[in-house]
Amino acid sequence: MPETYDIIIVGAGPAGSLAAKTAAEKGFKTVFLERGSRVGSKSVGGELLPLSVFEHFPWMMEGPLQRPINRWSFNLYSNNDEKLLELGLAREKPYGYTVHRARWDLWVSKVAENSGAKLKTSTLVSRLLTDEKGFTVGVETSKGEKIYGSVVIGADGVNSVVARLAGLRGRWKPEGLALCIKQTYRLDAREISRRFSRSGKYEAVIVVCEEISRRGYGWVFPSMRDFCVGFGATLNSFEEPSPKTFSRLLENPTVKEKTAGARLAQYSAHLIPLGGVQGKTYGEGVLLTGDAAGFPCPMEGSGYETAALTGVLAAEVACEAISRGDVSAEALAAYEEKWRNSWIFQDIEFGLKTQRLLLEDIGVGRFNRFAYGFLEALTKHGSYTDKGHLEALAEFLQNNSEILNVLIGSLGKLLGGEILKEF
């Protein structure tokens, strides 16, 4: 006999596990499917979860955390790898925590299982099952197994099979995709503590340099006995093969100092949708969450929080629809209405505008030089002989009027007319 559930969730990453946990806790018969032999075996996501994730889900503080991050170090470079500016943000309250995503995702899936959801690993969905009205009523696996349910939730990542088979969107536009490369390095825990701490605060390092990439940035995040070096940029930004681009990041002075003597332990690469949501996130008996829908913020590529939250939201809407006996697209449209009326949609819109401003209107190199020049003029920084602070700043702004006009014009677009009216 075919298996039958209330809710079928394809994918056991953050969106899938949170959807499964939510639905199971509400008493609905739930199954979530993982294509890997073990949850987390296919995970190549970022290693730093922002504090807001733990504020939304306090129970996650009990998970396998690595290090608290209490400091950000932003390093802006010129084209010849000369550091122009290092900006540091520090506080006692962590900005977030590093985790090992494979181990973390497995732990979260266990929480979902303990809530009553059934997990099936090594299960690849190859086809959606539909009825005579065109409603999605289940899935068929690559092994020919048929699993039926009232609602199917696609939480299967950037290359979502559910999104494609349900016809909710087409292929991602190249400029809306970013390729992220990550390498993990082993190092003695005490040495990591020494290299990645200032005044007792562990730091996450960001590197922005046009010579590395004109449309992306690099990062270094410390864990307990290892650390990861990552790089991400939109697909159409690579003038050379990506391994060469990553090699330039490793040669950057800041990154080179952090990685000296460390042993390479792991390499991974994956795509992230950074063009916002394309198409619909709901259909007849089907919903999309997380990367499958395009929820990562286009500004910095962060996607864990929105994946987890949209997983919860999708499960809540699905449970309500099943309780009413109506899982039509019209009923499930409440899901899209809810996320569009939340900060999630605002972040996507703001992120797209910021992405265009920094990568297209201004450019990484020009922005770095402008930021340095502005602070140099503001403080006089050993320059501007026989000029006061005001005169030095006026001279700088006059010499950089073109980029200043772009920034001022873009500021209005970023904030929006309604917000500007408040001032």
Side-chain angles (χ1 to χ4, degrees):
M1 289 288 292
E3 295 183 63
T4 302
Y5 296 86
D6 295 314
I7 297 176
I8 301 170
I9 301 160
V10 183
S17 290
L18 267 294
K21 177 179 181 294
T22 302
E25 287 177 342
K26 289 180 177 293
F28 288 78
K29 190 178 180 183
T30 305
V31 63
F32 59 133
L33 314 176
E34 166 60 37
R35 65 187 176 115
S37 59
R38 174 178 174 155
V39 173
S41 62
K42 301 292 184 180
S43 175
V44 289
E47 301 283 284
L48 176 59
L49 303 186
L51 185 63
S52 53
V53 168
F54 302 94
E55 291 174 338
H56 283 296
F57 309 106
W59 54 269
M60 287 189 176
M61 287 299 299
E62 300 175 9
L65 305 176
Q66 289 290 309
R67 291 185 189 264
I69 298 300
N70 296 79
R71 188 179 192 278
W72 283 101
S73 174
F74 297 91
N75 299 267
L76 310 185
Y77 278 83
S78 66
N79 289 349
N80 59 0
D81 264 348
E82 175 189 2
K83 185 183 288 189
L84 294 173
L85 191 63
E86 180 178 346
L87 299 174
L89 298 176
R91 68 183 189 186
E92 293 302 318
K93 187 177 182 180
Y95 290 105
Y97 295 86
T98 54
V99 300
H100 288 151
R101 277 294 302 276
R103 184 182 175 195
W104 178 265
D105 287 0
L106 177 61
W107 179 79
V108 174
S109 74
K110 293 293 184 184
V111 174
E113 283 190 277
N114 291 337
S115 298
K118 181 178 180 179
L119 172 66
K120 292 173 71 71
T121 57
S122 301
T123 304
L124 177 64
V125 170
S126 60
R127 188 167 74 92
L128 293 183
L129 304 176
T130 57
D131 63 13
E132 64 280 359
K133 296 180 181 179
F135 278 57
T136 298
V137 295
V139 301
E140 183 176 340
T141 72
S142 57
K143 299 175 183 177
E145 179 185 12
K146 292 183 179 181
I147 305 172
Y148 289 91
S150 299
V151 174
V152 173
I153 297 177
D156 47 343
V158 60
N159 295 315
S160 173
V161 173
V162 176
R164 176 172 56 83
L165 295 178
L168 297 181
R169 63 165 169 78
R171 290 181 177 273
W172 298 110
K173 298 177 181 178
E175 62 271 19
L177 285 172
L179 175 63
C180 293
I181 300 173
K182 183 182 70 177
Q183 291 189 171
T184 301
Y185 292 85
R186 301 283 187 188
L187 197 63
D188 179 77
R190 287 174 295 182
E191 181 61 18
I192 291 179
S193 296
R194 186 189 70 80
R195 293 188 189 185
F196 289 91
S197 64
R198 300 195 197 187
S199 303
K201 294 179 173 62
Y202 296 115
E203 69 175 2
V205 178
I206 300 296
V207 175
V208 183
C209 177
E210 187 177 37
E211 192 165 289
I212 298 173
S213 172
R214 291 184 293 179
R215 297 176 63 87
Y217 68 95
W219 64 88
V220 190
F221 296 156
S223 292
M224 292 301 295
R225 293 179 176 81
D226 54 33
F227 61 89
C228 69
V229 178
F231 165 80
T234 52
L235 287 183
N236 63 351
S237 68
F238 292 111
E239 293 83 21
E240 299 180 24
S242 55
K244 292 185 179 179
T245 311
F246 194 81
S247 295
R248 290 199 292 269
L249 173 66
L250 295 177
E251 289 301 315
N252 176 268
T254 296
V255 177
K256 201 169 186 178
E257 179 185 355
K258 299 295 185 185
T259 59
R263 178 174 62 86
L264 178 63
Q266 187 181 37
Y267 172 92
S268 59
H270 68 295
L271 293 172
I272 296 178
L274 293 185
V277 176
Q278 298 176 15
K280 295 195 303 182
T281 60
Y282 67 94
E284 306 287 5
V286 62
L287 294 167
L288 294 181
T289 64
D291 286 14
F295 284 121
C297 179
M299 184 172 70
E300 82 287 350
S302 175
Y304 190 96
E305 183 180 12
T306 52
L309 289 173
T310 55
V312 170
L313 193 60
E316 290 176 343
V317 170
C319 290
E320 292 171 3
I322 293 171
S323 297
R324 293 194 304 267
D326 181 6
V327 296
S328 65
E330 184 178 1
L332 296 180
Y335 167 65
E336 183 152 326
E337 182 180 355
K338 287 185 177 183
W339 70 254
R340 283 189 179 276
N341 289 328
S342 74
W343 63 266
I344 295 173
F345 178 67
Q346 295 171 7
D347 263 18
I348 292 174
E349 291 292 287
F350 181 84
L352 285 170
K353 292 175 183 177
T354 304
Q355 184 190 93
R356 284 193 289 268
L357 170 65
L358 295 179
L359 303 186
E360 298 172 15
D361 298 344
I362 297 178
V364 168
R366 290 179 71 197
F367 178 81
N368 287 356
R369 291 188 291 274
F370 180 86
Y372 171 77
F374 178 81
L375 291 177
E376 181 187 45
L378 188 64
T379 62
K380 295 199 299 184
H381 197 56
S383 303
Y384 298 95
T385 306
D386 298 327
K387 288 184 174 66
H389 290 287
L390 183 60
E391 189 178 3
L393 184 59
E395 179 180 314
F396 170 79
L397 295 177
Q398 183 177 5
N399 291 338
N400 291 271
S401 59
E402 180 185 352
I403 189 172
L404 185 63
N405 288 334
V406 172
L407 283 169
I408 293 174
S410 297
L411 182 63
K413 296 178 183 178
L414 286 172
L415 294 178
E418 294 303 314
I419 295 179
L420 290 177
K421 289 178 183 178
E422 300 294 325
F423 293 89

